[in-house]
């Protein structure tokens, strides 16, 4: 399963897509931080991945006791992740 990133290419309105690969199950939640260049994603198997958007690599994997991730939220200047 993958996350598709769409970036508008200026000055045209065409978009380019990249894929973040790593989840084995369906991705059900995503949140991101433009200031920290990161994205967090969660799936139906309770796996949370933290991605660095500039390199498009997973930098950390967290496990949520096999409960599906239904929502994710970065808060507190991106120092706290809630699920």
């Amino acid at each position: 399963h993958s996350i598709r990133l769409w970036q508008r290419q200026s000055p045209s309105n065409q978009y380019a897509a990249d894929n973040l690969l790593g989840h084995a199950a369906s991705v059900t939640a995503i949140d991101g931080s433009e200031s920290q260049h990161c994205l967090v994603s969660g799936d139906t198997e309770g796996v949370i991945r933290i991605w660095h958007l500039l390199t498009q690599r997973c930098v950390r994997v967290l496990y949520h006791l096999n409960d599906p991730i239904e929502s994710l939220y970065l808060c507190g200047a991106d120092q706290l992740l809630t699920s």
Side-chain angles (χ1 to χ4, degrees):
H1 295 46
S2 67
I3 299 166
R4 184 159 287 199
L5 300 175
W6 295 91
Q7 295 180 347
R8 191 170 94 167
Q9 295 177 338
S10 298
S12 69
N13 286 330
Q14 295 180 352
Y15 288 82
D18 292 310
N19 289 317
L20 301 179
L21 302 173
H23 282 282
S26 296
V27 175
T28 53
I30 295 177
D31 196 14
S33 167
E34 186 176 349
S35 65
Q36 296 296 318
H37 305 288
C38 76
L39 182 132
V40 292
S41 58
D43 66 26
T44 57
E45 292 182 346
V47 176
I48 297 171
R49 291 184 175 272
I50 302 173
W51 306 88
H52 187 264
L53 291 176
L54 297 179
T55 63
Q56 297 182 3
R57 294 180 185 244
C58 179
V59 296
R60 185 127 189 225
V61 180
L62 307 171
Y63 299 94
H64 193 262
L65 302 173
N66 294 324
D67 290 331
I69 304 300
E70 297 176 359
S71 65
L72 292 168
Y73 180 66
L74 287 167
C75 60
D78 304 327
Q79 298 297 314
L80 178 65
L81 170 65
T82 62
S83 67

